[in-house]
């Protein structure tokens, strides 16, 4: 069975990526999964701050190519589930460097899932469409009013599907 790589994205600030990341981390911890948490929100690494004392955590600048290379190395060198809390404004970097991740997934032996956090504005969906042009794999959305519940249910559905 492939190891998991979960990206929590949304490309906008304030939509709830950090709370969805934390919900996913909490659920997977309760299930006893070994985790590597990567926070790419270098200006406000809340997920890193919340978990670095109890879990293996990194902050990586995924706006730069060397950040993507460090991500690939970290995923390659662990058997843990990797959970990535992405930063706002990340779509340009995904356009530039996301193909590095996509081309390495089979070598990493990872199944990629993206949880895309949206708000009620149209640009949330436009940003998701832009993201999906580069990043493939399973994508699920989490709406603002039910972020934490949606994240937990989505992970449960993905695990049940195999």
């Amino acid at each position: 069975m492939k190891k998991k790589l979960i990206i929590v994205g949304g490309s906008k600030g304030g939509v709830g990526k950090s709370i969805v990341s934390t919900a996913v981390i909490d659920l997977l911890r309760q299930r006893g999964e070994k985790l590597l948490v990567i926070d790419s929100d270098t200006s406000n690494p809340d997920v890193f701050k919340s978990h670095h004392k109890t879990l293996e955590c990194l902050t990586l600048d995924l706006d730069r190519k060397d950040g993507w290379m460090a991500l690939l190395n970290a995923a390659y060198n662990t058997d843990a589930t990797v959970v990535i809390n992405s930063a706002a404004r990340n779509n340009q970097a995904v356009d530039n460097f996301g193909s590095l991740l996509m081309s390495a997934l089979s070598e990493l032996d990872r199944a990629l899932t993206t949880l895309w956090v949206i708000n009620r504005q149209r640009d949330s969906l436009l940003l998701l469409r832009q993201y999906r042009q580069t990043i493939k794999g399973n994508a699920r959305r989490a709406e603002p009013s039910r972020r934490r519940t949606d994240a937990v249910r989505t992970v449960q559905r993905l695990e049940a599907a195999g």
Side-chain angles (χ1 to χ4, degrees), residues 40 42 60-65 67-68 87-90 93 96-97:
S40 71
T42 55
L60 296 176
D61 185 353
L62 296 184
D63 290 332
R64 300 168 41 102
K65 184 176 182 178
W68 285 86
R89 81 194 176 282
N90 193 246
N96 293 337
F97 310 118

Side-chain angles (χ1 to χ4, degrees), residues 7 31 41 70 72 101 111 118 125 139 144 150 155 159:
I7 299 174
R31 294 186 175 174
D41 188 349
L72 296 178
L101 174 62
I118 64 170
L125 296 177
D150 280 357
V155 171
E159 288 178 342

Side-chain angles (χ1 to χ4, degrees), residues 9-17 19-20 117-119 124 142-144 147:
S11 203
K12 293 179 66 166
V15 294
K17 294 178 296 295
I19 197 165
V20 171
V117 186
I118 64 170
N119 61 17
S124 286
E143 294 182 33
R147 285 183 200 122

Side-chain angles (χ1 to χ4, degrees), residues 62-117:
L62 296 184
D63 290 332
R64 300 168 41 102
K65 184 176 182 178
D66 60 346
W68 285 86
M69 298 306 292
L71 166 63
L72 296 178
N73 286 331
Y76 183 80
N77 289 314
T78 186
D79 61 345
T81 294
V82 178
V83 178
I84 303 166
N85 180 55
S86 71
R89 81 194 176 282
N90 193 246
N91 265 27
Q92 185 62 46
V94 168
D95 286 347
N96 293 337
F97 310 118
S99 61
L100 295 170
L101 174 62
M102 295 311 301
S103 64
L105 281 176
S106 62
E107 185 177 338
L108 295 172
D109 194 32
R110 298 261 174 198
L112 172 64
T113 299
T114 298
L115 300 175
W116 194 262
V117 186

Side-chain angles (χ1 to χ4, degrees), residues 24 27-28 31 115 151-159:
V24 169
L27 175 69
L28 296 175
R31 294 186 175 174
L115 300 175
V152 170
R153 287 185 185 146
T154 297
V155 171
Q156 291 169 338
R157 279 193 306 260
L158 291 170
E159 288 178 342

